[in-house]
Amino acid sequence: MSTPDLNLLVTLDVLLAEGSVARAAERLRLSPSAMSRQLARLRETTGDPLLVRAGRGLVPTPRALELRERVGRIVEDGRAVLRPAEALDLSRLVRTFTLRASEGFAESFGPDLIARLSGQAPGVRLRFVQKPDKDSAPLRDGSVDLETGVVDDAIGPEVRTQALFRDRFIGVVRIGHPLCREEITSARYAAGGHIAVSRRGLDKGSIDGALNALGLERQVATIVGGFSTALALARASDLIASVPERHTLALRVGMHSFPLPVPTPELTISLLWHPRMDADPGHRWLRGCVRDVCAAT
């Protein structure tokens, strides 16, 4: 059996990432005809068409989808092997890192994190972007370096995760709210008007399940997409916001917070990144800074 041309792995990685012969050719600085010949060689080598015509574009075959993540890891591992090892000089590091997180995380942990980064590496800038969903594509394509959040089945199977801290839901109302004056029982809590938080617009969650088990039901007056909005509404009304405690520390200043009178599961907030960034010294340093800040706050 002849030894396969391992250079084809790089070509395959780019083709599967771009899904286009023309874009792959441009990225590898080849002519479209040369890239077409490379695709023909890949098809012959793998025994699979890999990319097939669908309308005006190309779509991957099941075999291509199976190979995509494996090939990406192999190519990145190969680059890491051939890359000269260099000690990270933070004083000379010039780089912008993108962290995708909720507004609550940015406001509660952002100031300390920015101070730590600028103190150790003045040339580093941190860009926070909002988290509208749990799609792992931004981590895969490199538009996001790190992400924080709760890990669930929506996270890509290849994404690396590390727990940062545990959190729990608490209730929050404005100062002077009737719930500030007496013991907060499950019945008093349920009887108030509530703000539900759901990116998908749902009005039921774990809190409702806990109340239902006691024969109670809360009245949801409005549904919002984030905890920051929920707290802003609660600050200016008699509505009750139920939010993660540590995640919203900075957002709750000047408000009355209380433990929920019903049991709810704790949350584990984790750090997420793509494995291709494992060996990157700057990325490793950033991950360490995020862990240290979360542990200290």
Side-chain angles (χ1 to χ4, degrees):
M1 179 181 295
S2 61
T3 301
D5 182 358
L6 297 182
N7 290 320
L8 288 175
L9 288 172
V10 176
T11 304
L12 179 58
D13 182 41
V14 174
L15 273 169
L16 296 181
E18 297 293 341
S20 164
V21 171
R23 290 196 300 271
E26 182 179 354
R27 184 166 158 185
L28 291 176
R29 299 181 181 179
L30 296 174
S31 67
S33 60
M35 180 55 67
S36 294
R37 290 194 295 271
Q38 291 286 77
L39 177 55
R41 292 183 60 198
L42 282 165
R43 286 168 169 165
E44 181 181 357
T45 301
T46 62
D48 188 272
L50 298 175
L51 295 170
V52 296
R53 182 67 57 185
R56 295 184 178 181
L58 297 174
V59 295
T61 65
R63 174 65 170 157
L65 292 174
E66 177 189 344
L67 290 174
R68 183 160 57 191
E69 292 302 328
R70 291 175 56 195
V71 170
R73 289 195 296 270
I74 291 170
V75 170
E76 186 58 35
D77 287 345
R79 287 174 178 155
V81 168
L82 298 176
R83 186 185 302 133
E86 296 181 0
L88 182 64
D89 185 351
L90 292 176
S91 65
R92 300 177 61 184
L93 182 62
V94 178
R95 191 164 170 181
T96 297
F97 291 101
T98 299
L99 174 59
R100 190 167 78 151
S102 68
E103 290 181 355
F105 185 93
E107 295 195 28
S108 295
F109 300 97
D112 288 342
L113 181 58
I114 293 169
R116 179 178 288 260
L117 298 185
S118 61
Q120 296 183 20
V124 166
R125 182 172 60 178
L126 186 62
R127 175 171 55 217
F128 284 98
V129 296
Q130 294 185 356
K131 186 175 179 179
D133 52 45
K134 295 192 175 185
D135 184 7
S136 299
L139 290 174
R140 291 192 186 105
D141 64 27
S143 58
V144 167
D145 294 291
L146 278 177
E147 183 174 324
T148 64
V150 177
V151 177
D152 61 19
D153 293 339
I155 302 298
E158 80 282 8
V159 172
R160 301 288 171 85
T161 65
Q162 185 173 48
L164 289 175
F165 58 88
R166 303 278 290 177
D167 210 343
R168 62 166 185 163
F169 276 93
I170 58 172
V172 185
V173 294
R174 64 171 178 83
I175 297 296
H177 189 283
L179 287 182
C180 298
R181 293 192 288 269
E182 300 176 15
E183 179 186 0
I184 302 175
T185 63
S186 55
R188 291 190 68 218
Y189 169 75
H194 290 262
I195 304 166
V197 180
S198 172
R199 281 196 294 257
R200 295 179 293 170
L202 305 178
D203 63 350
K204 302 294 182 184
S206 59
I207 294 174
D208 299 281
L211 287 170
N212 292 344
L214 299 175
L216 299 171
E217 183 177 359
R218 64 175 179 167
Q219 300 302 313
V220 174
T222 186
I223 305 169
V224 299
F227 299 121
S228 178
T229 304
L231 289 168
L233 290 176
R235 190 184 295 272
S237 70
D238 278 339
L239 296 176
I240 304 168
S242 299
V243 299
E245 184 175 25
R246 291 193 64 188
H247 232 69
T248 60
L249 183 63
L251 302 175
R252 293 184 287 105
V253 174
M255 301 183 74
H256 177 70
S257 303
F258 57 89
L260 292 185
V262 292
T264 56
E266 282 193 334
L267 307 172
T268 297
I269 308 303
S270 297
L271 190 62
L272 299 85
W273 69 95
H274 196 272
R276 63 188 178 82
M277 302 305 295
D278 267 346
D280 183 88
H283 200 277
R284 284 204 309 266
W285 166 73
L286 175 63
R287 297 197 301 266
C289 289
V290 175
R291 290 194 299 268
D292 291 346
V293 165
C294 288
T297 302

